[in-house]
Amino acid sequence: MTLTRTFKVSGLALLAGILLANLGGEAGLAEFVKVIGVLAIVLATPVFGVSALRHLLRGLLWRVGSRLFVSYLLIGVLPLLLVAGLAFAALFILAGQVGARRAETRLLARLDALEAKASEFAGRDRARRPEPTTGSGSFDGWALLPASGGPEGDGPLGTALGKVGVPETGLRAFVKSDGRTLLLVGRRTKAGTLYLYRAADAGLEDELSAEAGLNVRFGVGKTEATAEAKASKAEGAKGGLTIESPGKRTRVSSLNQEERKERPERKAGPGDDGWVVWFLPLELPVLDASSEAPAKDEGAALLVRTSLTAEFRSLFGEAQLSGSGAGAGSIALAVLKVLGISTGVVYLLALLVASVLVFRIARAAARLSHGFAEIEKGNFGVREKLRGRDQLAGLINSFNEMAGHLETSMAARAEAEALGRELAIARDLQRRLLPAPDFGFPGVELAADFRPAAAIGGDFYHFLGEGETRLTVVIADVAGHGLPAGIVMASALASLSALSRGATDTPTLLAHLDDEVRRTTERRAFVTLAHVRFDLDARTAEFTNAGHIYPYRVAPDGTVTSVENPAKPLGAGRPVDRVTVTVPLVDGEVWVFLSDGVVEAMAPDGSEAFGFGRLERTLAPCGGRSAREVLEAVLAAWRGHTGGDDPEDDRTVVVVKVLGRGAGAPPAAPRPPD
């Protein structure tokens, strides 16, 4: 992974800032350097953090396997954990709330019993001491505050409840007095205000726990005015739970702790081994017996400990969960078990299938990445394997097929390049077989153009000087084009060069050349050839033909004629007798030799060939021009007709201009590039 410039610069800036911030020195300079360091840290930290996070994510997610694994965790595993956590939280809250409400119901039942007890005396003119009872209606003390007369009371508070007002509808509250917390019921009667109360102590908690089937504790806020409150505050510094609500502060499980320490060890009660702990704020005011107002910022709550099993049994009942199993609880439990197990099995199977798919996709991606890396290195023989019949295996097979095609293509390309190099060498050799571009001869101007249709051509031309007054010009065309025609051309030219060294007449030379062509080539191969010997001293030209296009003569006045001499091509059949036609030379006239690639060239739409008529019309205005000008005129007309300069057949044009007597050999016109 490549580190970005931002990551490097911000990292160096952060490191420099840390060093500067911790650098010592003189007081003034050190403070300035520290300020600079702190500024560098402040500016570089967010940039470096974002860049580092990007690099981390890029490093984790660059590979397809890593990306799939992260996606697998986010889609497959993380939702399972979240759903499990959500279900656990929902069950935890539901069990705690249900248990707390059940404990609250038992507590309110005691208040209802006390109210019922107080109602027995509501219609009496003179209240007498209520009779003590047991169970939910039991109480620890009572007090009567008559409208006239002295108060009466018995219990921990005696008659010290005069400042606790009771509304018309009655009173239910926790009362605090001298470090005690009491559960109080107040009611107005004809005889006066009647109070019944009992201690909110560990005994009451044990009773509620037994009835509700869970562990119940009270939590009641403490005032700073009492020593017990200060002790509770000190205890709270060590632990515990404080419930804050508008206008209330309740220290849960801080009540009755000292009392429980002094009591003998009790037997394990219901809910003691539960792991669900929940609290429920109570809608009961906390009053102070020594004042007229409720205790400031204080409230009451129930703290319960239970378990899911206990709540399930409490919800359906023990009988529903035992016996024949036909109860609603047993049915519900069985349905939950089946659904839970089925869901778990299906999800685990889905996770297993997803993990297999992720692993297979990652492996396929890794092998494709390795394969493409090898291809990039030039190893086209690389092959990858992946078992199976799925789309991934098909993708690997497609890669192998592609690699095979590339290997074949590169091999063919290498062969083509090698053949191209060989053809380039052969083309260069063919060029070397033709006359040199600077070839010149006294008394004539020479210009030539040779352009093969392929890398190797079948046309050739040849200049042979005999002394200073005789020049032989040969132009030939091998049937076809390309490498086979080029081979025949090279063989014919070599044979011509060898036979020309003998002192033989031209018909005899062509007869020998005809035998050589028929002997060294296939029966269908033939060569057309025009042989003209210019005698500048005798002012004549001897033309011997072998089936080639007749040469044209352009007089100085523009008259265009051709020198006719019909004959069969070389290698076309049985040996034939050829004749030589002799014509006088005219000073200033131009001889034009060409191959059939000139006159047979078609227009771009294939409708018309260049033809002899267009050639003669092109040559007519060329009287008196130089050999190079005549050559350019012919090529320009040819390009205008074909629409380009790439011939479909080999194209050769040779122009010879006869100069007057005594004229020297002008510089040879350079041959245009092919």
Side-chain angles (χ1 to χ4, degrees):
M1 182 178 62
T2 304
L3 298 179
T4 61
R5 183 181 301 176
T6 303
F7 179 82
K8 296 178 181 178
V9 173
S10 61
L12 292 176
L14 180 60
L15 180 60
I18 295 174
L19 294 177
L20 292 176
N22 293 276
L23 189 65
E26 298 181 3
L29 181 60
E31 292 296 329
F32 177 75
V33 171
K34 288 183 178 180
V35 170
I36 298 298
V38 171
L39 289 176
I41 293 174
V42 171
L43 296 176
T45 298
V47 178
F48 179 77
V50 173
S51 181
L53 180 61
R54 291 181 59 187
H55 281 77
L56 178 62
L57 293 178
R58 187 180 303 171
L60 289 176
L61 303 180
W62 182 79
R63 292 182 178 274
V64 175
S66 300
R67 184 170 298 182
L68 289 174
F69 179 72
V70 172
S71 301
Y72 174 76
L73 292 179
L74 294 178
I75 298 175
V77 178
L78 183 60
L80 178 62
L81 299 178
L82 293 177
V83 170
L86 180 62
F88 174 80
L91 292 175
F92 184 94
I93 295 173
L94 184 62
Q97 187 70 9
V98 169
R101 286 298 183 185
R102 193 166 66 254
E104 182 188 31
T105 301
R106 299 299 186 274
L107 178 64
L108 295 179
R110 276 163 172 72
L111 292 174
D112 292 340
L114 290 178
E115 283 190 342
K117 195 70 173 177
S119 297
E120 295 179 5
F121 308 96
R124 299 181 182 182
D125 294 335
R126 179 176 177 80
R128 58 185 178 85
R129 184 183 188 281
E131 297 178 0
T133 59
T134 59
S136 60
S138 64
F139 57 92
D140 296 331
W142 69 280
L144 176 64
L145 302 178
S148 60
E152 300 179 35
D154 184 18
L157 297 181
T159 59
L161 291 172
K163 295 183 179 180
V164 178
V166 177
E168 292 290 341
T169 57
L171 174 66
R172 293 183 176 193
F174 283 98
V175 177
K176 299 170 63 177
S177 176
D178 296 331
R180 292 174 177 269
T181 302
L182 305 172
L183 192 62
L184 175 70
V185 169
R187 189 174 182 84
R188 292 184 180 183
T189 68
K190 294 179 179 181
T193 304
L194 178 65
Y195 300 91
L196 295 179
Y197 56 88
R198 67 167 300 174
D201 55 4
L204 179 58
E205 292 175 347
D206 292 343
E207 290 179 15
L208 295 178
S209 298
E211 294 179 9
L214 40 77
N215 189 300
V216 181
R217 296 289 181 268
F218 287 119
V220 180
K222 302 294 183 179
T223 61
E224 296 294 336
T226 64
E228 185 178 349
K230 295 180 180 179
S232 176
K233 182 178 180 181
E235 178 191 349
K238 302 178 182 179
L241 174 64
T242 300
I243 303 172
E244 297 282 352
S245 61
K248 295 180 180 180
R249 180 186 299 115
T250 302
R251 186 70 183 176
V252 178
S253 98
S254 62
L255 185 66
N256 305 320
Q257 289 186 358
E258 295 298 329
E259 180 186 355
R260 288 188 176 278
K261 291 180 181 179
E262 296 175 357
R263 292 177 59 190
E265 186 68 22
R266 70 180 183 90
K267 297 180 180 181
D272 288 350
D273 57 347
W275 51 269
V276 177
V277 179
W278 193 251
F279 65 91
L280 178 67
L282 297 174
E283 298 297 330
L284 296 175
V286 179
L287 305 178
D288 190 349
S290 62
S291 65
E292 298 180 358
K296 185 178 179 181
D297 293 337
E298 294 185 15
L302 288 178
L303 182 68
V304 301
R305 180 187 296 274
T306 183
S307 63
L308 293 180
T309 303
E311 294 306 316
F312 194 82
R313 291 181 178 276
S314 174
L315 181 63
F316 288 97
E318 189 70 27
Q320 296 283 350
L321 297 175
S322 60
S324 61
S330 299
I331 296 175
L333 186 60
V335 171
L336 290 177
K337 287 182 178 179
V338 171
L339 290 178
I341 295 174
S342 301
T343 302
V345 170
V346 171
Y347 198 86
L348 290 177
L349 289 177
L351 287 180
L352 179 61
V353 173
S355 62
V356 172
L357 291 178
V358 166
F359 176 74
R360 186 168 179 81
I361 293 173
R363 184 168 58 175
R367 294 187 177 182
L368 285 176
S369 179
H370 174 265
F372 281 113
E374 290 297 319
I375 287 180
E376 186 177 1
K377 295 177 182 178
N379 180 17
F380 297 98
V382 62
R383 298 293 185 271
E384 300 294 342
K385 294 181 180 180
L386 186 66
R387 296 180 180 179
R389 298 180 179 272
D390 57 359
Q391 191 175 15
L392 294 174
L395 186 62
I396 295 295
N397 293 333
S398 298
F399 169 81
N400 292 333
E401 293 178 2
M402 181 199 69
H405 293 324
L406 285 176
E407 186 177 19
T408 303
S409 177
M410 293 304 297
R413 180 178 177 181
E415 294 178 359
E417 290 178 353
L419 180 60
R421 289 192 295 268
E422 295 176 358
L423 289 177
I425 296 173
R427 183 176 184 179
D428 184 65
L429 292 175
Q430 186 182 42
R431 294 291 182 185
R432 294 177 183 273
L433 293 176
L434 299 177
D438 58 350
F439 182 86
F441 196 81
V444 295
E445 287 182 3
L446 300 173
D449 174 79
F450 169 68
R451 182 173 291 274
I456 305 297
D459 290 0
F460 71 89
Y461 64 93
H462 186 60
F463 299 144
L464 179 62
E466 302 176 24
E468 296 182 356
T469 60
R470 303 183 72 181
L471 172 66
T472 298
V473 177
V474 179
I475 183 171
D477 183 3
V478 179
H481 56 270
L483 185 59
I487 295 175
V488 177
M489 169 263 183
S491 176
L493 182 57
S495 300
L496 176 64
S497 300
L499 294 173
S500 297
R501 294 188 181 94
T504 56
D505 59 286
T506 303
T508 303
L509 184 147
L510 294 184
H512 291 314
L513 186 59
D514 187 12
D515 294 338
E516 190 68 20
V517 169
R518 285 188 289 107
R519 185 180 64 83
T520 58
T521 61
E522 296 180 356
R523 294 181 179 180
R524 295 182 179 180
F526 60 90
V527 180
T528 64
L529 183 144
H531 184 284
V532 178
R533 180 180 286 118
F534 293 94
D535 191 338
L536 301 178
D537 188 20
R539 312 304 289 177
T540 60
E542 299 175 352
F543 171 42
T544 306
N545 194 22
H548 201 76
I549 297 175
Y550 304 145
Y552 280 91
R553 301 174 66 188
V554 183
D557 60 359
T559 302
V560 180
T561 59
S562 61
V563 182
E564 298 183 359
N565 186 1
K568 291 184 178 182
L570 302 176
R574 295 179 179 180
V576 296
D577 294 331
R578 292 179 173 82
V579 297
T580 300
V581 176
T582 303
V583 296
L585 292 178
V586 178
D587 293 345
E589 70 176 347
V590 176
W591 286 64
V592 179
F593 304 87
L594 62 151
S595 64
D596 57 4
V598 177
V599 295
E600 294 179 358
M602 302 298 293
D605 58 0
S607 60
E608 183 182 4
F610 185 78
F612 292 99
R614 183 176 280 103
L615 175 63
E616 294 173 359
R617 291 191 297 272
T618 301
L619 295 176
C622 294
R625 296 183 181 180
S626 65
R628 172 55 58 185
E629 292 174 341
V630 175
L631 176 64
E632 291 298 335
V634 173
L635 295 179
W638 189 89
R639 296 187 188 103
H641 177 73
T642 60
D645 199 30
D646 295 324
E648 296 182 358
D649 192 9
D650 299 335
R651 184 190 72 194
T652 305
V653 181
V654 177
V655 180
V656 180
K657 182 175 182 180
V658 180
L659 304 177
R661 291 179 180 272
R671 192 169 59 211
D674 298 317

